[in-house]
């Protein structure tokens, strides 16, 4: 048996069947990408593997004694701990052992016995062998790689953004070195350079992993196998991501060929039956054809997953300045970036890249008025109407449904109009009345896109809008932004997403 054996698992939410009787195995040091459209059931599957969610039926068997590390898509820690303290908890068992060792030393200073001495040397060598004395330098290595040292090792976790917390949770996981890593969209909160670091880390990771991602470039470099959730089944392919895509296309083509051939046959039989069943001399032959038809294992029509079809319309623009930024300093307690001076025209499409892991979202939050500037000022011209897409999946009330959320933001829209717009953004009708907190990451992002589309604006401020989005939605969003006539300020780590339409890429260094 491999590390993990999944047998005949099925999962449904109401009428929504995610997968039926799915089986697969994971072997030692296999590096797996888990893919599928938004809402296909990827997160649900990982949660089933960790035991957080119980599938309707089927069996999930881990090899005994396997250590599993899991990073979820949503990130929740309300910790009073400082970053460094939190990272050290990855080794709390060793710190405890060290304390016990110190107690032994105290004891021995009072009264020396051979027994205690032996115990202390055994503790000492355990600590040495498990790298206790290199903990701090190991923590620094990983923290540097993921851009955490730049956030500040002494900041309390509770003050950090979702993205920053995600990095720190990921760092702790990597430090623990489990046998199997389960990562749900780990690149969402990382910058280009940190994604590169993670890529390398995963590529050479000795254990096994299952990583969910919509970033195909990322997957291609790290995977030795792919799990694909589609049409209510889970299929495993061996080989890297490109090989998977090729194989999948071939399978699809041959399936379509088989399906068409079968349809032709079925039609022939049916015509024969229709012609011959009433005539006594041929009724018997018709009967046997009916039996053949009934026996046939009929292929289901190849489904095409529904594609989103939203369109963005910009308010008129005037070919003038949209925004002036003068000596601006942004940050919470201290300035994160150098003073900024910038003028942006109202049809300009600007991308910010290159900050060292912090500062980009803070800049955007300052520009939309969520946090005050530390120094300097900025000014949007009167005709500039902003629409803002914030990075975190944060809702004022996540027990509302998408329908209620949109209705609160746009009270003039009728229910039919709201539903039409949500559907255009790729939300299925069954999700319209569901609580937002039960929707998948991609489904939640689609509600945010819907709000963006409905807002009358001519200047978009977008913070990592492609996080959580599946391939089709990402392509459509890219297309819409390239047609958008107004201005754009975008923060994104996916060059492939913006390089065709951006007018300026600003790489800001400390
Ligand atoms: N508690 C729940 N009640 C009802 N439906 C749910 C619940 N949890 C998840 N779902 C639905 O199950 C489906 C699968 O969700 P899941 O989060 O596994 O998708 P996913 O493949 O991870 O998608 P994404 O790429 O958007 O993250 C979604 O349509 C979601 O709305
Ligand atoms: Mg998910």
């Amino acid at each position: 048996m491999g590390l993990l054996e999944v047998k005949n698992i099925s999962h449904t939410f109401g009428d929504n069947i995610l997968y039926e009787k799915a089986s697969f195995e994971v072997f030692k040091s296999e590096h797996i990408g888990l893919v599928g459209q938004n809402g296909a059931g990827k997160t649900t599957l990982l949660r089933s593997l960790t035991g957080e969610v119980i599938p309707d039926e089927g069996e999930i068997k881990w090899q005994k004694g396997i250590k599993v590390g899991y990073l979820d898509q949503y990130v929740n820690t309300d910790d009073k701990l400082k970053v460094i303290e939190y990272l050290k908890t990855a080794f709390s068992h060793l710190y405890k052992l060290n304390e016990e060792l110190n107690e032994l030393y105290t004891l021995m200073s009072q009264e020396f016995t051979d027994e205690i001495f032996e115990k202390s040397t055994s503790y000492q060598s355990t600590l040495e062998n498990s790298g206790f004395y290199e903990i701090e330098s190991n923590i620094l290595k990983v923290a540097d790689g993921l851009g955490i040292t730049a956030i500040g090792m002494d900041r309390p976790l509770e003050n950090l953004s979702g993205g920053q917390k995600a990095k720190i949770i990921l760092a702790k996981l990597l430090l623990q070195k489990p046998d199997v890593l389960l990562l749900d969209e780990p690149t969402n909160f990382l910058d280009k350079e940190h994604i590169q670091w993670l890529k390398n880390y995963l590529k050479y990771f000795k254990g096994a992993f299952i990583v969910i991602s919509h970033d195909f470039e990322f997957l291609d470099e790290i995977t030795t196998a792919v799990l694909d959730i589609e049409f209510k089944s889970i299929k495993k392919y061996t080989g890297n991501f490109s090989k998977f895509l090729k194989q999948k296309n071939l399978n699809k083509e041959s399936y379509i060929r088989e399906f068409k051939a079968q349809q032709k046959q079925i039609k022939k039989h049916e015509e024969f039956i229709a012609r011959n069943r009433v005539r006594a001399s041929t009724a018997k032959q018709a009967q046997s054809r009916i039996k053949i038809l009934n026996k046939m294992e009929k292929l289901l029509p190849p489904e095409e997953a529904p594609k989103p079809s939203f369109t963005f319309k910009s308010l008129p623009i005037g070919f003038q300045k949209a925004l002036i930024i003068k000596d601006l300093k942004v940050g919470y307690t201290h300035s994160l970036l150098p003073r900024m001076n910038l003028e942006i025209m109202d049809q300009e499409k600007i991308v910010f890249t290159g900050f060292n892991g912090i500062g980009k979202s803070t800049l955007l939050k300052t520009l939309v008025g969520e946090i005050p500037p530390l120094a300097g000022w900025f000014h949007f011209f009167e005709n500039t109407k902003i629409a803002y897409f914030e990075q975190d999946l944060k809702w004022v009330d996540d027990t509302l449904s998408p329908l209620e959320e949109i209705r609160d933001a746009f009270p003039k829209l009728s229910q039919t109009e709201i539903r039409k717009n949500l559907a255009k953004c790729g939300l299925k009708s069954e999700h319209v009345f569901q609580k937002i907190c039960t929707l998948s990451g991609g489904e939640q992002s689609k509600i945010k896109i819907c709000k963006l589309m409905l807002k009358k604006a001519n200047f978009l401020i977008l913070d990592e809008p492609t996080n959580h989005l599946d391939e089709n939605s990402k392509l459509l969003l890219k297309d819409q932004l390239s047609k958008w006539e107004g201005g754009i300020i975008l923060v994104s780590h996916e060059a492939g997403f913006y390089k065709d339409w951006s007018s300026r890429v600003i790489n800001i260094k400390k």
Side-chain angles (χ1 to χ4, degrees), residues 38-39 41-44 73-74 184-185 212 214 440-442 468:
N38 289 139
K42 302 177 295 298
T43 298
T44 308
Q73 192 179 1
Y74 304 93
D184 199 344
E185 305 200 20
I212 300 178
H214 297 291
S440 78
H468 307 286

Side-chain angles (χ1 to χ4, degrees), residues 11-14 16 18-19 35-47 73-74 184-185 212 214 229 428 430-431 434-446 468-470:
H11 208 115
T12 48
F13 287 109
N16 186 6
L18 300 185
Y19 33 81
V35 299
Q37 291 214 323
N38 289 139
K42 302 177 295 298
T43 298
T44 308
L45 179 63
L46 275 205
R47 286 195 174 146
Q73 192 179 1
Y74 304 93
D184 199 344
E185 305 200 20
I212 300 178
H214 297 291
I229 309 187
K428 292 192 204 145
E430 67 227 46
H431 292 138
Q434 202 168 307
K435 285 181 188 160
I436 292 180
C437 58
T438 66
L439 294 178
S440 78
E443 287 160 354
Q444 293 189 29
S445 289
K446 287 171 180 174
H468 307 286
L469 287 186
D470 57 26

